[in-house]
Amino acid sequence: MDFDSVLREVGDFGKYQKRRLVLLGFPVLVGSINVFLQVFIAGKSGHWCQSWESEDCGSFNVTEIQCENFKREISVPVTISEDGKKSFEQCEKYNVTGVDFEAAVGTVGKNVSLEIIPCDDGWVHDRSRFSSTIIMDFELVCGKSYFPHIAQSVYIAGRMVGWTMFGLVSDTFGRRKTQLFSFICGGAFAIAITFSLNFWMYVILRFISAVLLSGASPFVLANEMVGPSRRVLAGNVMWINFAVGYGVLAGLAKLIPNWRILQLVVTLPYILFFILTFFFIHESPRWLVNQSRTEDAEKVLRKMARENNKPIRGDFTLKNCTRNEIKHSINLRGSFLDLIRSPVVILMMINMAFNWTVQAFVYYGLSLSTSELGIDPYISFVISGAIEIPAYFSCVPVAEWLGRKGATFVTLFLGGIACCVTPVVPIGIPRAIVAMMGKFLITMSFSVAITWALEMIPTSIRSSVLNMLSVASRLGAMLAPVILILQDTWSSLPVLIFGSLSIVAALLCLLFPETKGKPLPATVGDTKRLHSNNPEEFETDHGDGRKNLHMLLSESREQN
């Protein structure tokens, strides 16, 4: 008897699993909020040089806002476009040192012959949309305008470090203990971000929180407690929560325009998650079996059976299950040495790593640039998340209809075309529609590509290669915010880079073998045979590889 057979006996998708899926979905939702939080806490707003800071316009009987606009009219150079629109310089001003404010009032609308200098006394920010952002508090404008993009790259780097580190910790000490540690420690550092005194304190605290919060493993816990036939469903439920997080974040950001309060509101739930995990989430019985802790696993499974109303026999035991799984893992043992000995396979893996890097690069690039579409940034961000839900569900039938190769090529290629076309589409709703088409296609292609990759990787080294590919995708995610800096040079350059690389990756994926309907490779030799279209000579993987594929699929989605 294998573990999945035991799981079916106690109920592989009953009340126990459904209730835990709901509980585990909340950390995924809040995790999504924290990944994209900087879209709003570093929201862009108008700014101009500060002048006559101590002058309150008391003698002119105007409001504070009118006073600031009055000062801008006097002290900031203006550019008139061909269509007659007036725009104020954001990083330069007239040198009004020693100039009396009331005397300067008479110069409004007249030619000013004063010297133009860089801002030397701080900036005034338009607070009509955001009352406080990190850009305002830390003055990340002009020469420091790229700092928020660097901060987002550092945050994603923290997630990569955390995932790499806590993957080993979770496998050693258990999913539940690691998640408890992650929620309480990572949540504490996330809350501390609220009290950042300067930009570098903000960056360091956010990096540490990203590392620590990566120890939470709701995807793994969700997939390890359901049967093989339900793992794709469980993974999609988790990813729907991730997409819903977009909408929740946009709503909260609209209601809470102060970044410090918003940061606090979206991180306090980690204290609640710690409590819920402590009282209602049990250790993964599958992990306990792999650790030969059969008695502890049996206790969890008996709780599962009671909650699922599944009576189990009195001689219920997991000892044979443990021995069979260990024996199977020994039969399929492999290493990267097998990979090095096969140039064809290693070139395929390099191509795969490039594909995952590009997919993550484009996905995060489009997700982080929704505010540049010319429509309400809150609405565009909600749509960006909502578009992912049908994408996740569409990828399965499309992959069955076109095959893995056809589905990945078509969606990635068309997604790249949509990105390249975006700059020539009028800004506003038309551009938003084209950009969201690109986001839909890239999301779908990434989901199909993950399944396809796992069907090409041999069982003997599947987990190891998955780790390598996940690191590659995180590198792509780290690069996305850095590339967005280029929009200050040419607004269309980042999206053209996203589109061009998508098309290149789409063409290169034609070099991969089709895996639809093919046996799952057990060894590197099987992968070579798959590449040469010779699947009838595959070595057997005893059927377990296909079952484990669904769990790895959801895990790899979480890691990316």
Side-chain angles (χ1 to χ4, degrees), residues 514-526:
E514 178 58 69
T515 59
K516 178 188 173 185
K518 304 288 180 66
L520 199 66
T523 64
V524 172
D526 285 347

Side-chain angles (χ1 to χ4, degrees), residues 137-294:
D137 284 9
F138 306 140
E139 295 196 336
L140 307 179
V141 295
C142 299
K144 296 181 179 179
S145 61
Y146 63 92
F147 277 30
H149 298 297
I150 299 299
Q152 184 67 10
S153 291
V154 171
Y155 176 80
I156 296 175
R159 285 169 56 84
M160 182 174 70
V161 171
W163 173 79
T164 304
M165 180 175 69
F166 280 106
L168 178 61
V169 173
S170 179
D171 287 341
T172 304
F173 297 101
R175 284 63 163 119
R176 182 175 176 273
K177 287 182 179 178
T178 304
Q179 182 155 294
L180 285 169
F181 174 83
S182 174
F183 284 154
I184 197 66
C185 295
F189 275 94
I191 292 171
I193 296 171
T194 306
F195 306 100
S196 297
L197 301 177
N198 54 58
F199 173 73
W200 295 111
M201 182 178 176
Y202 166 83
V203 170
I204 292 170
L205 287 175
R206 200 154 189 256
F207 173 82
I208 295 173
S209 71
V211 172
L212 295 174
L213 288 173
S214 296
S217 52
F219 278 83
V220 177
L221 282 166
N223 279 279
E224 289 187 348
M225 68 181 180
V226 302
S229 63
R230 301 290 187 170
R231 285 179 188 144
V232 173
L233 174 61
N236 279 336
V237 168
M238 294 292 104
W239 275 105
I240 288 174
N241 278 280
F242 189 87
V244 169
Y246 279 74
V248 175
L249 171 57
L252 289 173
K254 184 74 172 178
L255 293 172
I256 309 172
N258 185 298
W259 81 268
R260 294 181 189 273
I261 299 175
L262 180 61
Q263 174 74 37
L264 187 63
V265 167
V266 301
T267 50
L268 280 176
Y270 284 113
I271 298 174
L272 175 63
F273 299 155
F274 174 85
I275 297 171
L276 291 175
T277 299
F278 186 84
F279 286 104
F280 299 107
I281 303 298
H282 305 119
E283 183 54 83
S284 163
R286 191 181 297 274
W287 177 83
L288 291 169
V289 167
N290 287 339
Q291 297 294 310
S292 298
R293 293 171 54 182
T294 54

Side-chain angles (χ1 to χ4, degrees), residues 11 22 150 160 317 344 362 407 414 450 485 533:
V22 172
I150 299 299
M160 182 174 70
T317 181
V344 171
V362 177
L414 292 180
I450 291 171
I485 296 174
N533 200 24

Side-chain angles (χ1 to χ4, degrees), residues 26-104:
F26 289 121
V28 174
L29 187 153
V30 175
S32 168
I33 290 174
N34 277 274
V35 169
F36 297 111
L37 181 60
Q38 196 170 286
V39 171
F40 295 102
I41 67 175
K44 292 183 178 180
S45 60
H47 59 86
W48 57 91
C49 298
Q50 174 76 267
S51 295
W52 297 294
E53 183 177 3
S54 60
E55 177 60 56
D56 61 2
C57 301
S59 59
F60 295 97
N61 193 27
V62 295
T63 65
E64 183 179 347
I65 295 177
Q66 289 174 327
C67 181
E68 291 297 343
N69 289 333
F70 204 35
K71 294 176 185 177
R72 179 178 59 172
E73 292 279 352
I74 301 170
S75 62
V76 178
V78 177
T79 301
I80 307 296
S81 63
E82 293 181 358
D83 57 1
K85 289 184 178 181
K86 182 168 64 174
S87 61
F88 291 91
E89 292 293 332
Q90 294 185 315
C91 302
E92 293 180 326
K93 70 173 187 176
Y94 294 116
N95 186 358
V96 295
T97 304
V99 177
D100 180 71
F101 177 67
E102 292 191 13

